[in-house]
Amino acid sequence: MKDIDTRHLSWDDWDELRRPAPETTDFDKVVAAAMSRRGFMTGVLAFGSAATALNLMGSTSAQAQSASRFAFQPIDIQTDFTIHVPEGYDWGVLVSWGDPLFSDAAPWDPTNGGDAATADRVFGENTDGMELFEVDGKQVIAVNHEYVNEDINLPAAAGESTSIVDSAEDAMKLMNLQGVTVMEVAETDTGWGVVVDSPFNRRITNNTPMTLTGPAAGHALLQTTADPAGTTVLGTLNNCGAGKTLWGTYLTCEENFNGYFGATDAATTMPDGFDRYGIGAESRYAYEQFNPRFDITKEPNEANRFGYIVEIDPADPDSTPIKRTALGRFKHENAAMTLTTDNRVVVYLGDDERGEFLYRYVSNGTYTEGGDTSALLDDGTLYVAKFEADGSGQWLALTPETTGMDDLAMVCIHTRQAASAVGATTMDRPEWVAVSTTLPEAYCCLTNNSKRAEDAVNAGGDAMLAEDGTPNPRAGNEYGQIVRWRPTNTDHGADTFAWDLYVMAGNPDVHDDAYAGSANVTSGNMFNSPDGMVVDSNGMIWIQTDGDDSNEGEFAGMGNNQMLVGDPETGEIARFLTGPNGSEVTGLTWSTDKKTAFVGIQHPGGDFPNASPVPRSSVVWVRRQDGAVIG
Ligand code: FEO
Ligand code: CA
Ligand code: CA
Ligand code: CA
């Protein structure tokens, strides 16, 4: 790995280098080994107790017969370095990495990758999940900054010879460009902008003090030199997807936290459990060289304090963020909240790594509007999903009894191991989870899993078989799929559900088997690697992609990463937006009047936005020219 320049790598690719899995068989062979497209459809027909209008075969005919619920004309693929939206819509930039949130921050300067001294006073790097809140009549967006790109943020032009972290100042700059931004936004005649110096503006970074609560708080494995009580931690790491609570707070989700820790002594023995999480002696940003709390040799427990869901109150800039350990420790993608029929809180959660799992948290207490919500995310039960080939599924409780672990704290610290112990289903990288706003069902993007094969295992040794009729049916799955489940008796608190695949992405121009995708994938709406996902107020599913945008070979005809809209009732999927080449489209929220959609553009290529000297991750706004609502 040392011989490879990692400064351009995505986190997925970096993790892949860190954890090389056995090579899969050659592509032709795995294609032949997968079930036929026809066979898969037959399996889907088993959804629920009978074939219904929801099955994918039915989708095509329903689509032809029913009036479309799409309010836009779908757009073609693109391969350029800008954004495209349907006719009748406009877009513009809300904010880009480096834009000041406060007037005391240095203005954006492309020659130095942004001012190091005020990196925690500007909009951070690599925008990801976000949510908009109405606070005192103002519109406030909380948005994640997932990671940094050393070659852009520490440019050689600023006197850096290497664009690598080789000083404490470099490390601090990168720490301050990550985390979360909370910012007030306002609409003008020409678009939308940040309200600089708003009292709501705030940066939360890799160093912001936060509180640990829930079963793992105070556990011996969470105690460090600086925090012998194990209840106070500095910072949040690799903030990926997001969520919103029913009581108006923001949930930010710590994903690839493993890569932030390293060992200054290469002979350091890794503590139990580190291997399952991919924590090793080599880090990505060399924080451990300049800050001992990231050094596994000196502080072996610090890494146990990351990998959680963090709750932030966007209405109170002085509030302390809270890490909710009851929601488990893994590579959290996002968090989707809903209620059981008896008003207990449900949070669906995905663990984005090959062969990891889909989770559900259910609180013990019930939610009442205006009531005390402080313990709802501390006191409850975590479950993991097991999918059966007959279209049924179960939520398996993770408790000391079911897992054989000593106590609930260990379940919340070594959650992956707990889920393996109960026999959960290994998934094709669970990314965003979303709960329908109109139907008793929920969805999870399973982005891809190039390593799924008959002889493959996840990091815990659990088999990653490619089995016909399962939610992860394809070996060498480069395209991804979206699984849908309907809880028994329409109660998200039920421990059983029925499932099907809403869509299986694929390329019908290149393949005529399972890799062509499901029937609702056509030459006109092809995409790969569904990742971000939000359901709007009409129940339509907005799907964002983070895949191969080469537009060649297996991916020919798919173009740049994109945002599509899916109708869960007909199966129809239509392309709404294309991002700049090189970018991932991730993060979506709406203005309070639903007339503007805000969309995240992460790690763009070229000169996005607006002929910038270096590409800048940005949040853009999209409006209809006639002022009608979107979503
Ligand atoms: Fe940060 Fe799994 O996406
Ligand atoms: Ca440097
Ligand atoms: Ca993602
Ligand atoms: Ca992804």
Side-chain angles (χ1 to χ4, degrees):
M1 175 167 168
K2 282 194 189 310
D3 298 331
I4 299 170
D5 183 354
T6 62
R7 289 169 290 159
H8 302 272
L9 291 180
S10 72
W11 268 93
D12 294 346
D13 291 338
W14 188 84
D15 239 21
E16 180 114 335
L17 277 177
R18 284 281 306 273
R19 177 173 281 163
E23 279 301 303
T24 48
T25 47
D26 67 86
F27 197 75
D28 287 345
K29 189 173 166 193
V30 296
V31 168
M35 74 298 151
S36 73
R37 196 171 183 214
R38 176 178 294 272
F40 171 74
M41 288 309 183
T42 306
V44 169
L45 284 169
F47 179 81
S49 57
T52 70
L54 278 168
N55 73 66
L56 295 178
M57 290 295 265
S59 298
T60 316
S61 51
Q63 193 173 319
Q65 292 160 11
S66 68
S68 170
R69 292 205 291 153
F70 294 84
F72 60 92
Q73 202 58 42
I75 64 171
D76 289 336
I77 62 162
Q78 299 290 340
T79 57
D80 59 10
F81 291 95
T82 187
I83 285 176
H84 295 267
V85 293
E87 199 177 327
Y89 290 74
D90 289 326
W91 71 274
V93 176
L94 170 72
V95 63
S96 299
W97 155 55
D99 285 342
L101 302 172
F102 302 93
S103 52
D104 61 4
W108 163 244
D109 179 354
T111 64
N112 64 4
D115 179 52
T118 54
D120 62 347
R121 305 287 282 172
V122 302
F123 188 73
E125 177 63 298
N126 281 329
T127 182
D128 208 317
M130 60 181 148
E131 295 282 355
L132 185 139
F133 302 85
E134 185 171 356
V135 186
D136 298 341
K138 309 291 189 186
Q139 307 211 34
V140 176
I141 290 177
V143 51
N144 293 342
H145 302 293
E146 189 182 29
Y147 68 102
V148 286
N149 297 101
E150 304 95 303
D151 54 337
I152 294 174
N153 306 119
L154 302 173
E160 297 272 0
S161 58
T162 55
S163 295
I164 60 170
V165 180
D166 54 13
S167 69
E169 186 189 40
D170 284 352
M172 184 58 74
K173 180 180 183 181
L174 298 189
M175 289 179 185
N176 283 339
L177 286 175
Q178 298 173 79
V180 176
T181 286
V182 182
M183 60 186 179
E184 183 184 339
V185 297
E187 192 166 21
T188 67
D189 288 346
T190 53
W192 283 80
V194 173
V195 179
V196 175
D197 293 328
S198 162
F200 295 110
N201 291 359
R202 180 181 189 185
R203 279 299 316 285
I204 290 162
T205 71
N206 290 174
N207 285 310
T208 303
M210 11 201 105
T211 302
L212 285 154
T213 66
H219 189 276
L221 285 177
L222 269 56
Q223 296 168 0
T224 64
T225 308
D227 175 32
T231 55
T232 304
V233 57
L234 296 180
T236 180
L237 298 177
N238 208 262
N239 304 80
C240 182
K244 191 177 194 174
T245 65
L246 297 160
W247 46 93
T249 58
Y250 183 66
L251 299 176
T252 184
C253 309
E254 298 185 320
E255 192 189 21
N256 294 299
F257 66 94
N258 57 313
Y260 291 71
F261 299 90
T264 51
D265 177 355
T268 303
T269 302
M270 288 298 136
D272 283 350
F274 273 36
D275 184 55
R276 181 63 188 271
Y277 286 88
I279 307 166
E282 195 166 348
S283 73
R284 174 150 185 185
Y285 302 130
Y287 285 2
E288 77 280 5
Q289 303 292 331
F290 307 100
N291 187 330
R293 77 184 172 94
F294 293 94
D295 184 356
I296 299 164
T297 308
K298 299 194 178 85
E299 287 292 348
N301 286 345
E302 184 72 6
N304 292 328
R305 294 142 63 89
F306 296 86
Y308 297 106
I309 298 290
V310 185
E311 185 178 6
I312 295 168
D313 183 357
D316 180 3
D318 298 321
S319 60
T320 302
I322 302 169
K323 293 200 181 193
R324 301 287 189 182
T325 67
L327 276 65
R329 176 170 169 263
F330 42 88
K331 293 186 178 180
H332 277 288
E333 181 69 23
N334 83 320
M337 184 176 284
T338 187
L339 289 174
T340 65
T341 52
D342 62 358
N343 293 322
R344 287 171 295 142
V345 169
V346 172
V347 189
Y348 289 114
L349 307 154
D351 181 356
D352 179 11
E353 188 161 339
R354 292 177 185 83
E356 292 297 339
F357 309 122
L358 176 65
Y359 294 87
R360 180 188 68 163
Y361 169 86
V362 184
S363 69
N364 287 332
T366 55
Y367 169 73
T368 47
E369 201 173 331
D372 180 7
T373 57
S374 59
L376 290 176
L377 297 181
D378 288 338
D379 178 23
T381 302
L382 200 56
Y383 299 79
V384 69
K386 183 171 171 58
F387 292 83
E388 306 292 354
D390 65 359
S392 69
Q394 309 163 60
W395 293 106
L396 306 174
L398 301 178
T399 67
E401 295 71 32
T402 61
T403 63
M405 289 182 161
D406 288 345
D407 51 30
L408 202 51
M410 285 306 296
V411 170
C412 296
I413 300 168
H414 287 172
T415 308
R416 286 181 165 182
Q417 294 91 327
S420 286
V422 301
T425 300
T426 60
M427 307 298 281
D428 286 348
R429 297 185 52 200
E431 299 249 25
W432 285 57
V433 178
V435 179
S436 175
T437 55
T438 58
L439 298 168
E441 61 189 38
Y443 318 94
C444 180
C445 285
L446 302 167
T447 197
N448 56 55
N449 183 352
S450 58
K451 304 299 185 197
R452 186 170 286 279
E454 295 311 320
D455 55 354
V457 294
N458 70 3
D462 306 318
M464 293 197 295
L465 303 175
E467 292 179 294
D468 193 357
T470 72
N472 312 280
R474 293 177 293 186
N477 175 16
E478 303 276 11
Y479 295 130
Q481 62 269 9
I482 298 177
V483 65
R484 161 172 55 189
W485 63 96
R486 302 179 116 191
T488 301
N489 297 326
T490 70
D491 181 2
H492 286 284
D495 288 340
T496 55
F497 55 86
W499 68 270
D500 77 348
L501 293 181
Y502 168 65
V503 63
M504 195 162 68
N507 193 328
D509 289 355
V510 173
H511 299 287
D512 58 5
D513 56 14
Y515 298 82
S518 48
N520 50 351
V521 171
T522 67
S523 296
N525 70 3
M526 280 193 280
F527 62 96
N528 74 88
S529 303
D531 184 331
M533 180 169 54
V534 183
V535 178
D536 71 18
S537 55
N538 301 314
M540 302 291 272
I541 310 169
W542 295 65
I543 303 162
Q544 302 176 316
T545 71
D546 173 24
D548 188 311
D549 65 358
S550 64
N551 202 36
E552 293 176 346
E554 297 294 324
F555 308 99
M558 295 180 176
N560 292 347
N561 279 302
Q562 53 192 285
M563 182 163 73
L564 310 102
V565 184
D567 184 339
E569 295 186 25
T570 64
E572 190 181 7
I573 295 173
R575 186 180 296 114
F576 179 83
L577 175 149
T578 58
N581 191 262
S583 74
E584 164 186 357
V585 180
T586 183
L588 172 65
T589 192
W590 285 271
S591 58
T592 50
D593 63 8
K594 306 276 186 194
K595 291 181 177 177
T596 300
F598 298 99
V599 183
I601 303 297
Q602 193 191 75
H603 61 79
D607 58 358
F608 185 84
N610 306 330
S612 171
V614 292
R616 298 169 73 190
S617 170
S618 303
V619 175
V620 302
W621 53 263
V622 180
R623 290 188 304 209
R624 275 176 64 124
Q625 289 163 354
D626 65 4
V629 300
I630 310 173

